[in-house]
Amino acid sequence: MLNKSPSNELTIYLTTTVYPPLQRYLICTPGVGKTTLGKELAQRTGLTYVNVGDLAQEGQLFDGFDEEYQCPVLDEDRVVDELEDKMGDGGVIVDYHGCDFFPERWFQIVFVLRTDNTNLYSRLEGRGYTGKKLQDNVQCEIFQTIYEEAMEAYKEEIVHQLPSNEPEDLERNLEQVVQWIEQWVKDNN
């Protein structure tokens, strides 16, 4: 369990590839492991886990429905307003599949989970993704869309990629992130 204080805030952002149409983001589960990683990381560290998709669902923070992708359209401004106080307290792990609408000041580190395209295709297909939604999500991973968005939205030195292909990757990623957190706490206390 890690201690946190308002003067030494720690927030972590986990993101994965899910195809977001320009100018908005969709609530879709990509199946690459960010929720599993985020929840386990919160359990091991005592940090607060926030799944933006769940937050949006609970607060109905949507701005319509995308018929083409068959999912709600996130109201980004309302999500930021909803998270503002929580983020100011620090000690938060944020789980979402887009990143450029979150304020840069919120995060000390951003982890982008990456999955081999064959694995991603199978996982998404297993979750019922078909047609354009399936193809666009896989293409988003091929073209590193989310990683590039993160590199543009945040300082390059805080954006890191983690592999998420095999079950063993979860434990390696957890160990790596926990070590980073422990070092951050030492350096900032």
Side-chain angles (χ1 to χ4, degrees):
M1 184 87 98
L2 298 174
N3 294 324
K4 60 186 190 297
S5 68
S7 62
N8 288 321
E9 301 168 5
L10 172 66
T11 49
I12 298 171
Y13 182 64
L14 298 171
T15 186
T16 57
T17 299
V18 164
Y19 181 76
L22 296 176
Q23 307 305 322
R24 57 187 173 179
Y25 292 85
L26 307 176
I27 304 301
C28 305
T29 305
V32 298
K34 72 184 180 331
T35 300
T36 302
L37 179 66
K39 286 180 177 179
E40 182 64 28
L41 191 58
Q43 187 174 10
R44 289 188 187 190
T45 62
L47 299 174
T48 302
Y49 171 78
V50 175
N51 180 304
V52 173
D54 292 345
L55 178 79
Q57 188 68 41
E58 291 164 11
Q60 290 300 296
L61 306 176
F62 301 118
D63 187 26
F65 190 82
D66 188 302
E67 294 296 334
E68 183 177 18
Y69 289 97
Q70 291 296 298
C71 56
V73 177
L74 189 67
D75 185 327
E76 297 169 356
D77 291 334
R78 289 178 58 207
V79 168
V80 169
D81 290 345
E82 184 75 22
L83 284 172
E84 189 70 48
D85 289 340
K86 192 176 291 197
M87 298 305 290
D89 293 339
V92 179
I93 299 167
V94 176
D95 168 349
Y96 192 58
H97 57 255
C99 63
D100 62 348
F101 69 93
F102 292 121
E104 183 178 1
R105 71 187 184 307
W106 280 5
F107 304 108
Q108 286 73 40
I109 195 157
V110 175
F111 292 104
V112 180
L113 297 181
R114 300 298 309 275
T115 301
D116 175 85
N117 300 327
T118 304
N119 289 344
L120 181 61
Y121 188 94
S122 298
R123 291 175 189 177
L124 294 177
E125 197 173 47
R127 291 179 178 239
Y129 284 39
T130 60
K132 183 169 177 51
K133 186 174 182 178
L134 177 60
Q135 291 171 350
D136 286 351
N137 277 288
V138 172
Q139 285 181 352
C140 192
E141 180 69 12
I142 291 169
F143 295 120
Q144 301 184 66
T145 304
I146 300 301
Y147 176 68
E148 288 179 13
E149 282 181 7
M151 293 295 283
E152 290 175 16
Y154 305 104
K155 294 177 187 168
E156 192 173 310
E157 62 268 14
I158 73 165
V159 178
H160 304 275
Q161 297 183 75
L162 298 174
S164 183
N165 295 304
E166 306 297 328
E168 298 80 24
D169 289 336
L170 174 62
E171 190 58 39
R172 278 192 294 270
N173 290 339
L174 284 164
E175 289 172 7
Q176 182 177 349
V177 175
V178 167
Q179 286 177 357
W180 183 90
I181 292 169
E182 289 170 349
Q183 186 62 50
W184 188 92
V185 169
K186 286 178 188 174
D187 293 346
N188 291 279
N189 283 320

